[in-house]
Amino acid sequence: MKKLVVANWKMYGQPAMARQLAAAVVQQAAQTSAASVVMCPPAILVADIAKSLDNQMVAVGGQDCHADAEGAHTGDISAVMLKDAGCSHVIVGHSERRTNHGETSAQVNAKAARAIVSGLIPIICIGETLAEREKGEAEAVVGAQLRQSIPDSAAQGNFVLAYEPVWAIGSGKTPTTDDIRQMHRYIVSVASERTGVAPAAVAVLYGGSVKAANAKDIMATEAVAGVLVGGASLKADEFCSIIAAA
Ligand code: PGA
């Protein structure tokens, strides 16, 4: 299976920088047949980036979508709007949304379901805080998030999971590859049980302080289908090295 390398730009990026970065990524992706690349810019840049990438080498995703098809939801964006703008994927349940916007796993579930029915692949994020890990509750927390966040419509090939320990995001800290292997195995088993999808077909990305220097080891770890990259996805050289590491 190809490794999936996803860029999460968060709330960064101006049009000129975005086009430049996209062009560099396309060039790298063309040389790296072992990787599928998805770029998730801020919503306002999605259509522009999708247009600039229409050679299909690199896919585009949103960073969030609303659970409803449409409605009176000022400031929100629908899955169909993302799809129409050229997206194939959408991140849902990122810990920054769970924390800063109070999103619950039930809401994440509804968003993921809306994404699937709209023809997008949701990248469903789960992960424990440092306090939860230190209390020995990492698996219990992640297990509960998984059971509640994965929608009933999840089936082989229509969803992706991303394990992002909250304490590793933007911190420069990462779990050991042993810890990643153990958690990914656990996630695969819970997700397989929840969805009926065979363990080998459950895709789990790792995210949290992925950079060029650790991408190879992380992607070589058992049960790691790819990476979700924040900060390092905004630097062309760094992100291209991560793609090359696949
Ligand atoms: P980071 O962010 O790579 O900057 O740690 C990852 C993420 O939040 O998806």
Side-chain angles (χ1 to χ4, degrees), residues 127-139 141 145 166:
E128 82 286 355
T129 64
L130 187 58
E132 288 160 346
R133 174 158 285 260
E134 282 173 348
K135 277 189 276 176
E137 294 171 357
E139 285 194 354
V141 167
Q145 286 178 346
V166 177

Side-chain angles (χ1 to χ4, degrees), residues 9 16-28 39 49 52-53 58 236:
W9 290 12
M17 159 274 186
R19 269 178 239 132
Q20 244 173 25
L21 182 50
V25 170
V26 165
Q27 219 172 28
Q28 181 63 52
M39 281 200 288
I49 297 291
S52 80
L53 295 176
V58 174

Side-chain angles (χ1 to χ4, degrees), residues 82-102:
L82 290 171
K83 176 84 180 164
D84 285 347
C87 287
S88 55
H89 292 69
V90 61
I91 298 168
V92 292
H94 190 283
S95 70
E96 286 153 15
R97 302 238 20 125
R98 291 180 187 261
T99 305
N100 304 342
H101 297 265

Side-chain angles (χ1 to χ4, degrees), residues 6 8 10 91 94-96 125 164 168-173 207-211 228-233:
V6 182
N8 173 13
K10 308 193 180 188
I91 298 168
H94 190 283
S95 70
E96 286 153 15
C125 301
E164 296 205 309
I169 295 174
S171 65
K173 292 184 201 141
S209 295
V210 174
K211 50 188 187 219
L228 177 52
V229 187
S233 74

